[in-house]
Amino acid sequence: MAKQSLWLRCEKKQFERRTAITPTTAKKLIDAGFEIFVERDSQRIFKDEEYEAVGCKLVEHNSWPNAPKDIPIIGLKELPESDEPLPHTHIQFAHCYKQQGGWSKVLARFHRGGGTLYDLEFLTDEQGRRVAAFGYHAGFAGAAAGALAFAAEQRGEPLGQLEPYENEDAMVESVKKELGGSGKPLKVLVIGALGRCGRGAVDLFRKIGVEEDNILKWDMAETAKGGPFQEILDADIFVNCIYLSSPIPPFLTKEQIAAAGKDRRLRVVVDVSCDTTNPHNPLPVYSINTTFSKPTVPVEVGAGNPPLSVVSIDHLPTLLPREASEQFSANLLPSLLELPNRQTARVWVEAENLFRQKLAEAVKAEGL
């Protein structure tokens, strides 16, 4: 039987330092008979030499378009916008299955090229849970960014550029320092608190010293009555960690913010879920994703009212690139080991069936 090859591409999104396959995971794949090609990438948290040392074959930066068509290409974030046909099999987060902005154009590239998409968000186990997710570190880093934005607001300035941390401990200490030593005075609300993302946010708040009674942990039971929710306005920081799968009433509205006037306590919203371009976005108080270089966007609050800013960075776990990558890659490994049998292995068969369904919808939407 021929070796299963896999091509790890570089990431073109600015500041993205994570990877889908770490050197640790690459070695396990190679030991299992895989051949791993790795694009050189100075932005990646792991050095090229770390891959070479475990037996990977280094190839030129961003050279995947010229890779043999039978080698699957694996990456994390979506490819740069283009109309170029995609003939390869791609394994990545594509953000195009929930009718996000430009979804049909992304899928049309696969239609024109004859390629296949296995979206990492939709590789699931027998219970329907994702086999690998960055949720915990997204919530942890999102809560940290929210606390840093709150500290900056208290100084009367916007939050400056965010830089990745070496590890969780370094992040916690940095946040505590910016808050003057502790997050004890804060009151925070996390919606989606029972999921991986929500647990990460709650853990960060605990580690910076927020008192347990001041960490409001909401999930489906608390939101069942339907928004908008006054309780959000009564916290200093609100973190949205829900997985949006169907239309729901908004959690927060511009009208609600305006009506609260000067009595509003809320200063920072962290939208970890980042459903910015989703037509059912539960936070219709902003409309753009923010970036590491400009982490917050101000909300229109009306003259004379206290400021309110939103953090809506869609790759927050890259603030902890090494830990987040190691966890994700380790969780993805069992599914990758089944890749040679992807015509029959349930996790890959179901992902391809979903791709075919969404591709048909895109072809219709694009009139192809």
Side-chain angles (χ1 to χ4, degrees):
M1 181 178 160
K3 277 190 174 184
Q4 173 67 58
S5 297
L6 198 53
W7 188 291
L8 178 63
R9 64 171 170 82
C10 62
E11 298 293 332
K12 300 306 289 182
K13 191 178 185 80
Q14 191 179 21
F15 299 111
E16 183 54 82
R17 304 192 68 196
R18 293 173 299 165
T19 183
I21 298 179
T22 65
T24 306
T25 296
K27 184 178 189 312
K28 290 177 179 175
L29 289 169
I30 291 167
D31 289 346
F34 280 63
E35 181 179 39
I36 308 294
F37 297 90
V38 176
E39 291 185 356
R40 297 179 184 276
D41 189 3
S42 60
Q43 184 171 275
R44 191 187 293 127
I45 188 67
F46 300 95
K47 293 182 171 59
D48 297 339
E49 293 75 21
E50 293 180 69
Y51 289 96
E52 198 169 34
V54 298
C56 298
K57 298 178 180 178
L58 295 181
V59 292
E60 288 306 303
H61 184 81
N62 203 38
S63 57
W64 64 265
N66 300 318
K69 301 295 184 287
D70 61 340
I71 300 182
I73 312 297
I74 186 167
L76 277 184
K77 299 304 289 185
E78 62 273 20
L79 297 168
E81 287 186 21
S82 167
D83 292 324
E84 284 292 310
L86 294 172
H88 291 90
T89 291
H90 285 264
I91 305 168
Q92 65 182 58
F93 289 103
H95 304 298
C96 61
Y97 282 4
K98 295 188 282 186
Q99 300 201 352
Q100 297 97 326
W103 70 278
S104 57
K105 288 182 168 49
V106 172
L107 288 168
R109 297 179 65 188
F110 288 94
H111 174 74
R112 288 196 295 272
T116 302
L117 169 65
Y118 293 110
D119 195 309
L120 289 166
E121 185 177 346
F122 298 95
L123 295 183
T124 56
D125 63 16
E126 289 84 352
Q127 286 75 45
R129 285 180 59 82
R130 289 163 61 175
V131 299
F134 285 103
Y136 179 86
H137 287 99
F140 196 93
L148 291 170
F150 180 85
E153 191 277 323
Q154 296 296 290
R155 298 192 299 268
E157 57 192 45
L159 179 59
Q161 180 166 312
L162 294 174
E163 300 286 352
Y165 293 87
E166 195 60 38
N167 52 48
E168 288 181 9
D169 289 344
M171 173 180 276
V172 168
E173 289 309 310
S174 174
V175 172
K176 286 166 70 174
K177 181 181 176 184
E178 291 299 312
L179 288 168
S182 169
K184 188 174 182 180
L186 291 175
K187 182 180 180 182
V188 301
L189 171 60
V190 178
I191 294 186
L194 298 182
R196 282 182 278 210
C197 177
R199 289 199 303 271
V202 169
D203 280 358
L204 181 283
F205 286 132
R206 284 177 177 146
K207 288 184 176 184
I208 65 171
V210 181
E211 294 186 338
E212 197 67 28
D213 288 347
N214 285 331
I215 305 175
L216 279 66
K217 308 170 198 70
W218 281 23
D219 211 88
M220 294 178 74
E222 291 79 7
T223 58
K225 63 184 179 183
F229 301 111
Q230 172 63 34
E231 292 90 339
I232 293 175
L233 297 175
D234 297 335
D236 296 303
I237 302 170
F238 162 53
V239 184
N240 176 38
C241 292
I242 70 158
Y243 181 82
L244 184 64
S245 57
S246 58
I248 58 174
F251 293 160
L252 189 66
T253 65
K254 288 183 178 179
E255 294 76 15
Q256 184 191 11
I257 292 166
K262 294 180 173 60
D263 296 330
R264 170 176 45 81
R265 180 168 180 169
L266 183 70
R267 293 292 185 274
V268 179
V269 171
V270 183
D271 191 5
V272 181
S273 303
C274 271
D275 287 302
T276 318
T277 63
N278 190 306
H280 308 300
N281 178 16
L283 293 173
V285 298
Y286 79 102
S287 58
I288 61 166
N289 282 354
T290 59
T291 63
F292 284 155
S293 56
K294 195 177 179 185
T296 60
V297 59
V299 175
E300 293 175 22
V301 294
N305 291 325
L308 175 61
S309 59
V310 175
V311 176
S312 57
I313 299 170
D314 66 3
H315 57 137
L316 280 162
T318 204
L319 284 176
L320 292 166
R322 187 172 289 270
E323 287 167 307
S325 296
E326 288 287 17
Q327 182 190 55
F328 181 88
S329 193
N331 291 342
L332 186 60
L333 176 62
S335 298
L336 291 176
L337 288 170
E338 292 191 42
L339 193 61
N341 305 313
R342 62 184 177 277
Q343 303 305 323
T344 55
R346 183 202 54 78
V347 66
W348 298 105
V349 169
E350 290 183 1
E352 182 167 351
N353 288 344
L354 182 60
F355 163 68
R356 298 293 168 200
Q357 175 194 327
K358 298 298 182 181
L359 184 66
E361 293 173 12
V363 166
K364 185 177 180 181
E366 291 288 311
L368 298 174

